[in-house]
């Protein structure tokens, strides 16, 4: 008998094709709700670090689309880890630790506020994020952010910021202000 997960999760893939709209470049790969099916999926897809630049993987709770427009993301935001340019060797470990946090519901009473996670392969530096549903809920977001930083074993001095999607969406420059940081 397979080991059930508390939630059903959907894995999405984004490939940057400039002839298409952002939404048309986003594809649902598969969904799963057992530990065994999670590993089955994980073991047969390309490692994040091997994807082409411009690609993303997203893992979201079933029913939440990995985009700002989804009802559960609209008022939300993300804890963003910006990795250094040319530091892709640790990315797969960071991503799998993030996936374990999500599917294992490791945020305790705050797990309901988690929508999903995204890894983005970029030449200017890969990005890893956890998306939560309410950008103004300080207690929840700080607790989730602390757990994220701790589980990934990030150095205390490495600062991660929480950005509201509303701000990311309307940014003009290359940086969005953080509403919290850790
Ligand atoms: P990105 O891929 O998150 O970061 O956003 P990057 O700049 O490092 O590549 C790039 C662009 O993709 C944004 O400026 C938007 O035009 C589009 N985009 C990204 N996201 C997450 C969304 C989204 O959730 N909804 C829509 N409509 N567009 C998005």
């Amino acid at each position: 008998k397979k080991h059930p997960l508390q939630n059903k999760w959907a894995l999405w893939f984004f490939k940057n094709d400039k002839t298409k709209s952002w939404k048309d470049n986003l594809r649902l790969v598969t969904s799963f709700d057992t530990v065994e099916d999670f590993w089955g999926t994980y073991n047969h897809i390309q490692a994040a670090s091997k994807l082409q630049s411009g690609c993303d993987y997203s893992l979201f709770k079933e029913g939440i689309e990995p985009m700002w427009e989804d009802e559960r993301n609209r008022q939300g935001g993300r804890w963003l880890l910006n990795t250094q340019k040319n530091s892709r060797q640790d990315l797969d470990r960071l991503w799998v630790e993030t996936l374990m946090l999500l599917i294992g519901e490791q945020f305790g009473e705050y797990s309901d506020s988690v929508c999903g996670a995204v890894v983005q392969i970029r030449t200017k530096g890969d990005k890893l994020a956890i998306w939560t549903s309410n950008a103004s809920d300080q207690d929840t977001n700080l607790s989730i952010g602390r757990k994220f930083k701790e589980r990934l074993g990030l150095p205390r001095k490495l600062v991660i910021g929480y950005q509201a999607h509303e701000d990311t969406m309307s940014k003009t420059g290359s940086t969005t202000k953080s509403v919290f940081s850790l």
Side-chain angles (χ1 to χ4, degrees):
K1 178 139 183 341
K2 293 181 183 178
H3 299 81
L5 298 173
Q6 201 159 311
N7 277 289
K8 188 165 189 180
W9 298 87
L11 179 73
W12 301 75
F13 177 64
F14 178 91
K15 188 168 193 292
N16 191 9
D17 173 346
K18 294 202 168 89
T19 68
K20 292 188 192 160
S21 69
W22 187 85
K23 284 185 187 174
D24 287 337
N25 282 329
L26 188 63
R27 285 290 146 85
L28 175 65
V29 178
T30 189
S31 58
F32 52 79
D33 60 5
T34 68
V35 175
E36 289 79 4
D37 291 344
F38 162 72
W39 288 113
T41 296
Y42 184 81
N43 289 330
H44 106 199
I45 60 171
Q46 182 99 264
S49 65
K50 297 288 191 297
L51 296 176
Q52 279 176 39
S53 184
C55 292
D56 306 342
Y57 277 137
S58 299
L59 187 80
F60 275 69
K61 285 176 181 163
E62 172 115 314
I64 309 180
E65 292 187 304
M67 56 180 75
W68 308 320
E69 291 85 351
D70 191 281
E71 185 59 36
R72 299 273 304 273
N73 293 322
R74 206 186 295 264
Q75 313 290 324
R78 62 174 175 174
W79 277 108
L80 178 62
L81 169 61
N82 276 118
T83 71
Q84 290 298 303
K85 206 178 162 187
N86 307 319
S87 73
R88 199 160 285 163
Q89 74 283 344
D90 205 27
L91 189 67
D92 296 326
R93 182 190 67 81
L94 298 174
W95 177 233
V96 79
E97 297 278 8
T98 304
L99 296 175
M100 305 302 287
L101 277 172
L102 264 65
I103 67 171
E105 311 286 336
Q106 298 295 299
F107 303 100
E109 61 184 298
Y110 303 109
S111 282
D112 280 351
S113 302
V114 172
C115 297
V118 186
V119 63
Q120 301 183 286
I121 306 305
R122 298 291 184 274
T123 45
K124 65 191 175 204
D126 303 328
K127 294 183 279 186
L128 184 60
I130 291 185
W131 287 33
T132 71
S133 58
N134 184 352
S136 40
D137 190 340
Q138 176 161 343
D139 276 4
T140 299
N141 291 321
L142 287 176
S143 171
I144 291 168
R146 273 187 217 106
K147 184 62 114 185
F148 183 40
K149 216 176 153 173
E150 176 189 305
R151 175 67 185 256
L152 267 52
L154 303 180
R156 192 94 29 101
K157 65 174 197 316
L158 192 155
V159 176
I160 58 171
Y162 185 96
Q163 308 169 340
H165 296 316
E166 201 172 29
D167 296 336
T168 306
M169 223 182 287
S170 59
K171 76 172 176 193
T172 43
S174 59
T175 46
T176 301
K177 71 170 164 112
S178 294
V179 285
F180 315 114
S181 41
L182 278 172

